[in-house]
Amino acid sequence: MHGRIWLAGVGVLLTTGCGPAEADPVRLPAEEPAAVEVEAASSGGACRLLDFAVIEEHTEVRFDVAAASDWGDTRTCVVRATDASWPELTLTVTDTSIDVATFTADVLPDGATKVTKLGQAAYRRTGPKAAKHGPTAEVGWLAAEDRLAVLRWACPPGEDRATAGAVAGRLVDLARKLDTRSL
């Protein structure tokens, strides 16, 4: 009988909080926010045609920020790296009704080099330095589905025109990977 009374007493003590004290919770340091990589296509507009990995494969530069704009029949995408303003890559795609002859006469810039195996007609060229950025590289083409597309690369300040020329060649290869029909 004494055993039952003793057990009942221990049970009362445990249920009333007179048992062993609970340990204070251990505080852990706050976790760093998890970085989530977002694809360029998630920005909409012409960004739907771009993929950061494909751009890096062709330009040897890693971009991770994209912004898009739609205005009338024109869709645009600008990509940059989070920690740098330059270089900057812009893709513009505009619905058009021009033909190859009109493209050649009215769109093809003076001094541009014609490019083969890209759309119905295409060109590449470099441009001079500007106040805020270095020289530019540009590839423009008349896509088969009545779209005019232009890829433009703005080099960082301090780069020379030869660098832009080398980039223009890589932009041609990148342009060949873009399917403007999917817009």
Side-chain angles (χ1 to χ4, degrees):
M1 179 77 158
H2 288 295
R4 287 184 195 168
I5 294 174
W6 183 81
L7 267 174
V10 169
V12 169
L13 289 176
L14 288 175
T15 58
T16 60
C18 294
E22 290 186 27
D24 289 334
V26 176
R27 296 185 187 258
L28 299 175
E31 289 185 34
E32 290 291 321
V36 177
E37 210 170 290
V38 178
E39 293 300 320
S42 67
S43 295
C47 293
R48 294 184 304 226
L49 302 177
L50 297 175
D51 178 271
F52 291 132
V54 174
I55 296 169
E56 182 176 13
E57 176 185 332
H58 290 282
T59 66
E60 300 174 1
V61 174
R62 178 73 180 156
F63 293 105
D64 55 3
V65 177
S69 174
D70 291 347
W71 192 70
D73 293 338
T74 300
R75 290 159 299 286
T76 303
C77 180
V78 177
V79 295
R80 288 184 176 173
T82 300
D83 58 351
S85 296
W86 309 107
E88 175 181 272
L89 178 67
T90 304
L91 170 64
T92 304
V93 180
T94 303
D95 295 336
T96 186
S97 60
I98 65 172
D99 58 11
V100 174
T102 306
F103 178 87
T104 303
D106 296 340
V107 177
L108 187 71
D110 291 336
T113 303
K114 289 185 180 182
V115 173
T116 59
K117 299 180 184 174
L118 177 58
Q120 299 177 56
Y123 69 87
R124 76 179 201 178
R125 71 174 182 155
T126 59
K129 296 179 181 183
K132 294 184 180 181
H133 59 76
T136 59
E138 182 178 288
V139 174
W141 69 100
L142 180 61
E145 58 283 345
D146 296 330
R147 295 210 167 115
L148 176 62
V150 177
L151 268 173
R152 185 173 184 272
W153 179 279
C155 292
E159 292 289 333
D160 60 18
R161 203 150 178 178
T163 301
V167 170
R170 293 191 300 253
L171 289 183
V172 170
D173 294 334
L174 175 59
R176 289 183 176 130
K177 297 289 184 184
L178 303 181
D179 181 9
T180 59
R181 293 175 294 187
S182 62
L183 279 180

